[in-house]
Every structure is written in structure tokens, then in C-alpha cells.
Amino acid sequence: MPNFNAVITGVQGWVPNHILSNKDLEQMVDTNDEWIRTRTGIEERRLLKGEGLATSDMAVEAVGRLLEKTNTTKNEIDLVVFATVTPDMRMPDTANTLCDKLGLDNAFGFDLNAACSGFIYAITVGSQFIQTGMYKKVIVVGSDKMSSIINYEDRSTCIIFGDGAGAVLLEPSQEDVGFQDAILKGDGSGREFLYLTAGGSKTPTTRETLEAGQHFVVQDGRPVYKSAVKGMSSVVKELMERNNLTNDDVSWLIPHQANKRIITAVAGKLDFPMEKVTVNIHKYGNTTAATIPLCMWEWENRFKKGDNIILTAFGGGFTWGAVLIKWAYGT
Ligand code: UT7
């Protein structure tokens, strides 16, 4: 048993103002609104525009608002766990940049890359520091400027992704609420289906890699789709069985927003009613590490204290998993 329960005491999202609609994409690549809506459920996505603006700047907006909302002073934060695949720079890490930009003078931080599963990995990591009693206030952020690694001439990826950020504050509690359990998985053999070739130690950026467009995301959608449905539905089932939960005991399922059809298929395999599944992919597309906290932020007012909520994600790596949370506030 942990010394303390790690409880979410606030959640906040932030998305940029600029909207990229399906109609806009029709002007850019050989696609159409009908195809995008029916194949993915996406209607529009947000893009971060502005010289020098990066992933950390979206996180500054989300975390800054989160601190205000939870009446937390900046020097109370101990740790920032920052999930992203689009760090501001290869080094240093974006977590420390965020701490500096926001003035979190007593915090340290680190980045965590688990692609679209980043937030569920990060909230599991952050919760451990609270449960052991080591820290009292931990920020977990998911923020991605996907537009920085997307090829807007590749119709198979540019229609899917968007930019955004979301964050939660974790604090200790003696009550039986908060982080309950997690099952996290990985299968590195999936790396052939979703990747970005250049800029790492294997293939450093050169004129040739730039000319070949190897600084952009590549996805073989079909195998990822199949693995995502199978991975998320089986891990949620395993988590529910392990915690003796039936569908009636679970108030909300918060899935990663990669494709509306994937979400519906996962709910279908679990026989879980769509009324209890959060879906906002039509507005934001796939914001990678930000999808789950963006959903939590939008649904926050509907959550009640004691609600069992399951987060689930699947992403590049492959990485996937599910987290069980007992919501700590709201009536
Ligand atoms: O979040 C991280 C994990 N990622 C995911 O979970 C994403 C998983 N994959 C998917 O969501 C889907 O596979 C996609 C949305 C990426 C693609 O949908 P799909 O139903 O699997 O389509 P497809 O790639 O099998 O392509 C079907 C057809 C092809 O044409 P043909 O060969 O049948 O003539 C494509 O060329 O649709 C074509 N196509 C498009 N047509 C119009 C592919 N992209 C587009 C497009 N507009 N944007």
C-alpha cells in the first residue's frame, strides 16, 4: 500500500487559436472533408503559429492557468514530468525550459517520450513520487506541437495531427481517491510503422535527409490502427478485471484521440456505452501527448468525486496502456 494516494487536484488545457479545417486541407493536398470526417472523425485541428513559439509555450499557458485555478504558488511545485515527442530542442529538455519560463524556482523536471501514450506513462511516473511521500506537488504535462514534424504535403498524416497542451496537478491525500492502478505496455518492434527517421543519433540531420523529407513523421496507418484497437481494448479489460470493475462501475473512459473509429471500436469491444466515452477529436485532431488531459479538462465539470475513470492510449513505439483513477472532487 502506498503511504499516500496521488490525487489530481486540478486540470487545465490550452490550444492555439489558429484553426486548420478540412476545407483548408482540401486546398493543400488531394483530400476532402468527407473522407477525413468518415475515416477519422476530425473536422478541424489547432496549429501553433508564430515565430519561435514551441511546445513549452503551450505548456506555459496550460500550467500557468492550472496554478491560478488551484491557488498554487510557483515555488510550491517540486517536479514537472513533461510528456512530448516535439521537445523545443533535442537538448536541453523542455521540462526545465517550462520551469524557467514560468518561474517554478524550486522544481526540477524531465521529458518523457512515449509518443501518444506519453501522458499515461507520465501520470504513472508522477504519481509514484507522491505515493512514496517524496514530493507534495507534481505537475504532469502533455504538450505537442505536432505541426513542427508533419509534412503538409503528405495527406496520410497532415489531416490527423494538431497542436495542444494539457496538464494536471498531483498532490497527496489520505482519502481513498486518486491514482489507483496502471498497466503500461511496450513493443519496440512496432517502430517500423510510426517513426521519424532523421535528427536522432542513428541518422543525424544532413542535407540529404532534409531533401528526402526524413524530418517528418511517417505512419503506416492500417497496422497501427489494428494494434491500437487490440491494445487499448485488451489492456482496459485487464485493468478492469484486476480491479473487479464492471462497465457499470466505470463512470468514464478517456481514450487517446487518434481516430474516432478506433475509439468507437475500443468501446464496442468492451461493450462500453459511448455516452461514457470522452470524444473531442473533431475539434483538435490528434495532439499526441495532449489528447487525454485536453479531454479531462473539457469533461472536468461532469466528473464527480469517487468516479472511476479509465485513461487509455496507444502510440508510436509501440507504447500503450491504461490507468485507473478515482476522481477526487466535484459533486
Ligand atoms: O496516435 C498514434 C497512433 N496512430 C493511430 O492510431 C492512427 C491509426 N491509423 C488510422 O487512424 C488510419 O489508418 C488512417 C486515418 C491513418 C488512415 O485511414 P484508413 O482507413 O486506414 O485508410 P488507408 O490508409 O487504408 O487508405 C485508404 C484509401 C487509400 O486509397 P486506395 O489505396 O484505397 O485507393 C489511400 O490512398 O484512402 C486513401 N487516402 C486518402 N484519401 C483521401 C489516404 N489518406 C487520404 C486522405 N484523403 N487524406
Side-chain angles (χ1 to χ4, degrees):
M1 282 294 285
N3 295 337
F4 301 95
N5 286 321
V7 165
I8 295 174
T9 53
V11 54
Q12 182 68 41
W14 189 84
V15 289
N17 287 330
H18 182 88
I19 293 174
L20 181 70
S21 68
N22 291 350
K23 287 277 169 213
D24 295 330
L25 284 160
E26 284 180 2
Q27 310 303 315
M28 297 159 66
V29 288
D30 180 16
T31 191
N32 59 77
D33 178 52
E34 164 76 12
W35 192 95
I36 303 172
R37 278 173 198 261
T38 53
R39 294 290 180 125
T40 70
I42 302 168
E43 294 168 20
E44 57 187 43
R45 59 297 285 140
R46 302 298 181 100
L47 301 195
L48 183 66
K49 296 279 186 185
E51 185 72 26
L53 290 180
T55 292
S56 68
D57 297 299
M58 296 191 291
V60 163
E61 298 291 344
V63 177
R65 286 169 168 78
L66 177 65
L67 296 181
E68 273 174 35
K69 184 174 169 180
T70 55
N71 290 318
T72 308
T73 55
K74 292 178 175 180
N75 59 15
E76 287 180 288
I77 302 300
D78 301 301
L79 167 65
V80 174
V81 185
F82 200 123
T84 189
V85 288
T86 52
D88 288 16
M89 296 160 70
R90 282 290 308 283
M91 65 171 286
D93 67 306
T94 313
N96 274 306
T97 301
L98 172 74
C99 292
D100 178 52
K101 284 184 174 175
L102 264 181
L104 308 182
D105 294 336
N106 293 323
F108 78 104
F110 55 87
D111 292 3
L112 188 156
N113 176 346
C116 295
S117 308
F119 189 80
I120 62 166
Y121 274 42
I123 199 168
T124 305
V125 171
S127 293
Q128 308 311 304
F129 287 99
I130 299 281
Q131 289 182 334
T132 56
M134 190 164 179
Y135 297 126
K136 296 218 159 20
K137 290 189 195 284
V138 173
I139 298 276
V140 177
V141 198
S143 180
D144 269 304
K145 184 185 171 188
M146 293 306 291
S147 59
S148 65
I149 54 170
I150 293 300
N151 178 358
Y152 286 92
E153 292 179 359
D154 175 3
R155 69 176 184 174
S156 71
T157 52
C158 73
I159 56 140
I160 298 170
F161 293 98
D163 303 338
V168 297
L169 176 62
L170 295 175
E171 296 183 76
S173 170
Q174 304 278 8
E175 283 189 81
D176 180 26
V177 286
F179 181 91
Q180 306 285 303
D181 197 7
I183 300 175
L184 302 178
K185 307 246 186 191
D187 176 4
S189 69
R191 67 188 182 281
E192 68 179 282
F193 301 113
L194 183 49
Y195 57 89
L196 191 157
T197 305
S201 55
K202 184 173 176 233
T203 312
T205 307
T206 60
R207 182 188 296 266
E208 287 71 30
T209 66
L210 280 173
E211 280 169 5
Q214 291 179 338
H215 51 296
F216 294 127
V217 169
V218 176
Q219 176 171 248
D220 185 357
R222 281 280 169 92
V224 182
Y225 185 108
K226 282 188 192 154
S227 303
V229 173
K230 191 163 165 242
M232 285 192 280
S233 56
S234 63
V235 80
V236 169
K237 195 161 177 280
E238 191 183 337
L239 187 70
M240 286 174 66
E241 277 168 9
R242 176 157 117 174
N243 288 275
N244 297 314
L245 297 173
T246 65
N247 281 352
D248 288 342
D249 301 321
V250 177
S251 301
W252 297 97
L253 179 66
I254 307 185
H256 169 54
Q257 312 281 303
N259 186 321
K260 176 83 187 297
R261 289 189 295 140
I262 294 178
I263 297 170
T264 313
V266 168
K269 275 186 173 286
L270 294 165
D271 220 2
F272 197 81
M274 279 305 287
E275 302 81 65
K276 297 199 291 180
V277 181
T278 65
V279 180
N280 63 10
I281 190 169
H282 52 289
K283 294 193 287 187
Y284 306 134
N286 182 349
T287 54
T288 303
T291 62
I292 289 178
L294 281 173
C295 280
M296 291 169 99
W297 172 52
E298 283 202 60
W299 265 261
E300 184 188 18
N301 292 335
R302 281 180 258 178
F303 297 159
K304 297 186 182 60
K305 186 170 179 178
D307 278 357
N308 285 314
I309 299 178
I310 294 180
L311 322 177
T312 187
F314 188 95
F318 293 142
T319 56
W320 71 103
V323 172
L324 173 63
I325 284 166
K326 211 180 256 295
W327 199 250
Y329 55 93
T331 49

